[in-house]
Amino acid sequence: MELLDIGRVLLGLVLLIGGGEVLVRGASALATKLGIPPLVVGLVIVSAATSAPELAVTIGAVIDEEPSLAVGNVVGSNIVNVLLILGLSALFLPLAVKRRLVKFDLPVMVGISILLLVLALDGEITQIDGVILFAAAVAHVVLSFTLSKNDPDALPDDAAAATDPSQTGPVRTRRAPASGVLSYLIPVVLILAGIGLLVFGADLLVTGAVAIATGFGVSSLVIGLTVVAIGTSLPELATSIAAVRRGERDLAVGNIVGSNIFNIGIVLGLPAIFFPAGIPVPDAAISLDIPLMIAAAVALVPIAFTGFTIARWEGAVFVGLYVAYTVYLILAAVEHDALRGFSIVMLFFVLPLLAVTLIAVTAYEVGLRRGRRQAPTP
């Protein structure tokens, strides 16, 4: 471990924080100018921008013949996004979840995650597999814009109220955007500057962190699943927290969901298309890490459904699960004696208790909604 590597990590963190703030400011301003719903901005524009580090790392890993790092980066980033990034963001402030996200985008995220597992069962992501994943991601982008046009739930709150005929009383309207090229140029410059800061910051952080981890003798797959995954997911964390601070809580959730779809469809699918040899998938990723990625995506559905919010306690549960997963990877990597006991406690106590809690909370929420529908109106 060298002081230069530690300096890279610290400088990378600073650039990530600044880049996330600049990107969200630019994306929000551009959405207002063009009339694009914040949810779609998070699902498509911001998620694609914050996934740029994952794309760069994956392409570089494939070129350098490190396929384990490429797969571990994508799978690990998706796990980090749901468990750690959403969890920390919810701890900062409870996150709003639009109904359209629960009905359409979350099922797409779960579906494309399962699709990745099915395609990887033969041990590699081939060119054909890459085309399938890429097409699924492109179809999601097209449908996102198409559905948002006639979906008042995807609109900003004040715009949705303006289109609701049942809305009574004065309606707050947005100020008409300023005309001229400059009013559009400034948000675009902010977006490009934010992307540049995020990519450069993530590259510095990952370079330093990988050098430190390699010095401790950690394998490429574990580095990809932990150090690189967290490093390349820090743009999502910086962007999500910046969005929450600015009151764009649906943009924060949309950013994570869209980023996960983008990571599988574009970040993993695109390199597979352009590299004829395909991308080998390690057995450990097929047996543990990809199923865990699917489980995290599935777990987000009932949590988002209960009240259409991700509460602080739910965020704490997600963060705790990610810490437990990271501890397991470290214990397995060093073949520690505590691995067996830790696995037994997680499999036979913690995870069943969590599953029962999620089922109970979801059933309670469904019962409340059913009771409200059946209650006589005064």
Side-chain angles (χ1 to χ4, degrees):
M1 185 192 311
E2 297 182 0
L3 290 177
L4 179 60
D5 295 323
I6 298 175
R8 286 193 183 104
V9 171
L10 294 176
L11 179 58
L13 284 173
V14 172
L15 293 177
L16 285 169
I17 294 171
E21 182 70 26
V22 172
L23 177 61
V24 170
R25 286 179 180 273
S28 299
L30 185 62
T32 302
K33 301 294 182 185
L34 299 177
I36 301 175
L39 177 61
V40 178
V41 173
L43 282 166
V44 179
I45 300 174
V46 177
S47 64
T50 55
S51 291
E54 282 94 335
L55 181 59
V57 169
T58 300
I59 293 176
V62 173
I63 293 175
D64 295 338
E65 297 182 353
E66 288 280 0
S68 296
L69 182 61
V71 174
N73 173 38
V74 170
V75 175
S77 292
N78 281 17
I79 295 172
V80 169
N81 283 347
V82 174
L83 297 183
L84 185 61
I85 308 302
L86 271 185
L88 290 175
S89 300
L91 282 174
F92 186 82
L93 189 69
L95 303 177
V97 181
K98 295 286 189 179
R99 284 174 171 79
R100 170 262 167 88
L101 198 75
V102 176
K103 294 178 180 177
F104 175 66
D105 301 293
L106 282 177
V108 170
M109 183 180 73
V110 173
I112 199 170
S113 300
I114 295 173
L115 177 62
L116 174 61
L117 177 61
V118 172
L119 296 177
L121 288 176
D122 60 355
E124 66 174 343
I125 303 298
T126 64
Q127 277 188 314
I128 299 299
D129 297 339
V131 171
I132 294 172
L133 293 173
F134 182 79
V138 171
H140 174 257
V141 171
V142 174
L143 287 173
S144 292
F145 281 104
T146 303
L147 293 175
S148 67
K149 293 179 181 178
N150 299 316
D151 183 9
D153 185 57
L155 298 173
D157 293 337
D158 52 354
T163 60
D164 186 357
S166 63
Q167 179 73 30
T168 58
V171 177
R172 186 163 49 100
T173 58
R174 288 181 181 268
R175 183 180 299 176
S179 59
V181 177
L182 186 61
S183 63
Y184 293 91
L185 182 61
I186 292 177
V188 171
V189 170
L190 288 174
I191 291 174
L192 294 176
I195 293 173
L197 290 172
L198 289 174
V199 172
F200 187 50
D203 180 64
L204 279 176
L205 188 143
V206 169
T207 300
V210 168
I212 294 172
T214 304
F216 286 100
V218 182
S219 69
S220 296
L221 179 61
V222 174
I223 291 175
L225 288 167
T226 55
V227 178
V228 178
I230 293 175
T232 55
S233 291
L234 283 175
E236 282 88 350
L237 176 61
T239 303
S240 295
I241 291 181
V244 170
R245 288 179 59 246
R246 291 177 56 83
E248 300 279 2
R249 292 189 294 166
D250 54 341
L251 187 149
V253 181
N255 171 35
I256 297 302
V257 174
S259 181
N260 279 16
I261 296 171
F262 192 92
N263 281 346
I264 295 175
I266 308 297
V267 173
L268 198 56
L270 203 58
I273 294 174
F274 290 103
F275 290 91
I279 301 177
V281 181
D283 292 337
I286 298 174
S287 61
L288 173 66
D289 304 301
I290 297 179
L292 182 60
M293 177 188 70
I294 296 172
V298 172
L300 182 58
V301 176
I303 286 179
F305 175 75
T306 52
F308 294 98
T309 59
I310 301 176
R312 283 192 172 93
W313 74 268
E314 293 168 331
V317 169
F318 271 14
V319 173
L321 286 175
Y322 183 76
V323 171
Y325 169 65
T326 304
V327 170
Y328 173 84
L329 287 178
I330 295 174
L331 291 176
V334 300
E335 298 181 351
H336 197 277
D337 294 338
L339 177 62
R340 178 177 173 80
F342 180 81
S343 301
I344 291 174
V345 171
M346 291 299 299
L347 287 174
F348 296 103
F349 179 71
V350 176
L351 294 180
L353 180 62
L354 177 62
V356 170
T357 302
L358 288 176
I359 293 172
V361 171
T362 304
Y364 176 74
E365 184 70 23
V366 170
L368 282 180
R369 293 188 182 184
R370 197 171 289 170
R372 293 192 194 105
R373 292 194 192 101
Q374 296 176 354
T377 56

